[in-house]
């Protein structure tokens, strides 16, 4: 039983707070040795009291990027949890990999933008990329159970990480579950009138503003499709989405014999964060089990792809690959910020993403420089389209 020494980038956010809870719940298995905040110095200082000795850094202002890299490569750390919203975690993630540290990734945006580069760097360096996003963590758990892969100890240096084993022919589909967001049942013609307040009310999860908004447009699930494609090295055509309003099944894997494995828990990000940290071990905690009798039912329905174009846009971006997913992601970030600032309508978010993607000439197997250039181009283009 080893204790993992973890740096948490974005320790003041929703995921960051859950990560601190996990560290306090299983102190024998998780020690936080570093934490960053961007603007909330007060909360970081408070959090620092719970983890004496942890290095603290503020990432805003002059030299903020360097301070993040310094934390991500901290000699005493063996894992870096990337919980920064948006793409700001990309460089620290690559630096952590380069320094030989496992990364636990909540920031799906960095895998959407540069999944090929991140996974390639991790493979080359022999470090693990552990999924924290609840759907991907669920799939990771379902795949771990396959007898073919067996359960290997991450302590054994001769063991290949399960994550680096390409999904074999045994797997037919990865099925991502989606809550459907607050507008699951809203008639299409009413989407134009959606307000910021309505969009920020998620039915099942309590999260930061960006991902809550992404859940309302279904871009969150779109980003997760691309995230799954890279994390599990599977073609986009094998990644599917099903709406499951209760958010109890966090995702499923269908095998070629038509058997399906699913992972279930109550909706609390402490579950996936803990498993990412303690993998491949299961460790007792104070999290509540599911009360099935109270839960009573689990429902499923097809996503409304015609009314919520995000899913098809993401599938297209994932199929084309190269720089196109980075363009989708960047345009979405700009459009979400505009909507939150009440500068555009709700449907303008996906309209802006669609038009930005349409204006882009994708570069295949793009290197980091090409990806960063596409990201910058898309941000400027989306801003121009939004006026
Ligand atoms: P929050 O908005 O709650 O927190 C964001 C964190 O990132 C804060 O610590 C914030 O610091 C920091 N931050 C913001 N901007 C920057 C920047 N430019 N550079 C460095 N740090 C920055 O977000 P969430 O915790 O909800 O989400 C974090 C990531 O995890 C996202 O990518 C999201 O998609 C993903 N995720 C979140 C889930 C959730 O349940 N919340 C579920 C699955 C994935 P400060 O507050 O000090 O300004
Ligand atoms: Mg998710």
């Amino acid at each position: 039983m080893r204790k993992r020494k973890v740096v948490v980038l974005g320790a003041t956010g929703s995921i960051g707070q859950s990560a601190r809870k996990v560290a306090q719940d299983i102190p024998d298995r998780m020690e936080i040795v570093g934490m960053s905040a961007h603007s909330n110095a007060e909360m970081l200082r408070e959090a620092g009291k719970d983890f004496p000795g942890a290095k603290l850094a503020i990432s805003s202002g002059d030299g903020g990027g360097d301070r993040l890299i310094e934390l991500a490569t901290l000699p005493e750390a063996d894992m870096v949890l990337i919980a920064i919203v948006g793409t700001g975690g990309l460089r620290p993630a690559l630096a952590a990999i380069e320094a030989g540290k496992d990364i636990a990734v909540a920031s799906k945006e960095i895998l959407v933008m540069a999944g090929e580069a991140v996974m390639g760097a991790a493979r080359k360096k022999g470090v693990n990329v552990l999924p924290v996003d609840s759907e991907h963590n669920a799939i990771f758990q379902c795949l771990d159970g396959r007898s073919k892969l067996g359960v290997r100890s991450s302590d054994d240096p001769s063991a290949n990480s399960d994550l680096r084993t390409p999904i074999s022919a045994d797997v037919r589909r990865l099925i991502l579950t989606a809550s459907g967001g607050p507008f699951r049942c809203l008639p299409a013609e009413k989407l134009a009138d959606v307000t910021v307040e309505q969009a920020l009310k998620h039915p099942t999860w309590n999260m930061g503003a960006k991902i809550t908004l992404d859940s309302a447009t279904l871009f969150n699930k779109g980003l997760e499709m691309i995230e799954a494609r890279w994390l599990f090295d599977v073609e986009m055509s094998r990644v599917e989405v099903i709406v499951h309003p209760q958010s109890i099944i966090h995702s499923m894997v269908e095998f070629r014999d038509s058997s399906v494995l699913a992972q279930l828990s109550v909706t609390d990000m402490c579950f996936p964060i803990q498993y990412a940290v303690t993998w491949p071990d299961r460790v007792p905690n104070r999290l509540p089990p599911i009360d099935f009798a109270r839960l009573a039912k689990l429902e499923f329905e097809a996503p409304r792809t015609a009314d919520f174009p995000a899913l098809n846009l993401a599938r297209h971006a994932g199929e084309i690959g190269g720089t196109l997913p980075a363009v989708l992601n960047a345009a979405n970030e700009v459009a979400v910020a505009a909507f939150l600032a009440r500068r555009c309508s709700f449907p303008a978010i996906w309209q802006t993403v669609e038009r930005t993607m349409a204006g882009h000439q994708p570069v295949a197997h793009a290197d980091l420089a090409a990806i960063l250039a596409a990201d910058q181009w898309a941000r400027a283009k989306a801003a121009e389209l939004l006026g």
Side-chain angles (χ1 to χ4, degrees):
M1 297 285 264
R2 79 202 157 124
K3 187 196 270 187
R4 303 225 76 184
K5 300 191 171 189
V6 183
V7 165
V8 181
L9 301 183
T12 46
S14 161
I15 292 284
Q17 294 182 46
S18 295
R20 289 189 270 125
K21 253 200 252 165
V22 172
Q24 287 177 313
D25 197 8
I26 54 164
D28 296 344
R29 298 300 304 258
M30 177 177 181
E31 179 185 348
I32 292 182
V33 295
M35 292 189 281
S36 83
H38 197 61
S39 59
N40 201 340
E42 179 64 39
M43 189 193 283
L44 184 68
R45 215 176 10 252
E46 274 305 307
K49 292 181 191 159
D50 292 331
F51 305 101
K55 301 235 160 49
L56 308 180
I58 294 286
S59 56
S60 59
D62 273 357
D66 293 341
R67 285 192 289 277
L68 278 183
I69 302 281
E70 207 176 300
L71 265 194
T73 57
L74 208 63
E76 59 264 39
D78 44 39
M79 175 182 270
V80 179
L81 168 60
I82 322 280
I84 288 172
V85 62
T87 50
L90 180 58
R91 285 181 194 281
L94 290 169
I97 291 170
E98 210 39 55
K101 303 184 193 307
D102 285 349
I103 58 171
V105 182
S107 309
K108 62 195 87 195
E109 293 94 341
I110 71 175
L111 289 173
V112 171
M113 181 185 183
E116 199 172 3
V118 170
M119 297 308 287
R123 210 173 295 123
K124 217 159 103 195
K125 207 67 197 177
V127 302
N128 295 300
V129 179
L130 286 316
V132 168
D133 210 348
S134 56
E135 295 76 3
H136 306 75
N137 193 272
I139 290 169
F140 181 49
Q141 296 193 40
C142 295
L143 291 175
D144 243 0
R146 284 203 293 168
S147 60
K148 216 171 144 208
L149 291 176
V151 177
R152 301 192 187 99
S153 165
S154 58
D155 283 332
D156 176 1
S158 68
N160 279 318
S161 146
D162 287 1
L163 270 182
R164 277 177 273 124
T165 309
I167 288 183
S168 73
D170 280 356
V171 171
R172 190 187 287 151
R173 297 189 290 164
L174 305 181
I175 306 167
L176 301 174
T177 52
S179 71
F183 311 126
R184 181 171 62 89
C185 301
L186 194 72
E189 64 274 13
K190 296 232 164 98
L191 288 172
D193 303 324
V194 158
T195 65
V196 171
E197 289 70 24
Q198 289 166 334
L200 284 179
K201 267 206 194 89
H202 195 276
T204 49
W205 292 99
N206 193 356
M207 312 177 287
K210 159 79 170 35
I211 183 172
T212 303
L213 227 282
D214 283 346
S215 301
T217 57
L218 295 198
F219 265 113
N220 181 50
K221 214 48 56 178
L223 299 177
E224 289 179 356
M225 289 165 64
I226 303 173
E227 181 185 14
R229 185 252 173 279
W230 289 117
L231 274 171
F232 303 109
D233 195 15
V234 68
E235 320 86 83
M236 279 311 288
S237 57
R238 287 207 270 172
V239 182
E240 291 184 17
V241 171
I242 185 83
V243 172
H244 164 46
Q246 289 82 14
S247 302
I248 291 293
I249 295 182
H250 298 302
S251 277
M252 304 180 262
V253 176
E254 181 184 280
F255 296 89
R256 63 174 163 181
D257 59 358
S258 297
S259 265
V260 175
L261 293 186
Q263 185 263 340
L264 291 72
S265 75
V266 301
T267 49
D268 188 330
M269 287 305 293
C270 289
F271 283 95
I273 292 168
Q274 171 174 322
Y275 191 69
V277 171
T278 65
W279 172 79
D281 301 329
R282 294 208 177 261
V283 175
N285 55 30
R286 281 181 297 185
L287 294 171
I290 298 174
D291 181 342
F292 282 97
R294 264 190 69 198
L295 186 65
K297 64 180 176 185
L298 300 176
E299 296 167 298
F300 304 95
E301 62 196 43
R304 292 163 57 192
T305 47
D307 300 333
F308 295 88
L311 294 178
N312 286 339
L313 288 171
R315 184 174 294 286
H316 175 65
E319 272 161 2
I320 301 289
T323 47
L324 199 54
V327 166
L328 171 140
N329 177 65
N332 181 52
E333 277 191 32
V334 171
V336 165
F339 176 75
L340 287 174
R342 297 167 211 273
R343 285 192 289 106
C344 74
S345 72
F346 188 62
I349 298 175
W350 57 78
Q351 288 157 3
T352 302
V353 173
E354 185 167 15
R355 288 164 70 192
T356 306
M357 283 170 67
H360 179 65
Q361 280 292 345
V363 180
H365 299 294
D367 61 11
L368 201 59
I371 287 168
L372 293 170
D375 173 272
Q376 287 307 310
W377 174 86
R379 282 172 202 275
K381 181 75 188 170
E384 177 198 317
L385 288 169
L386 285 159

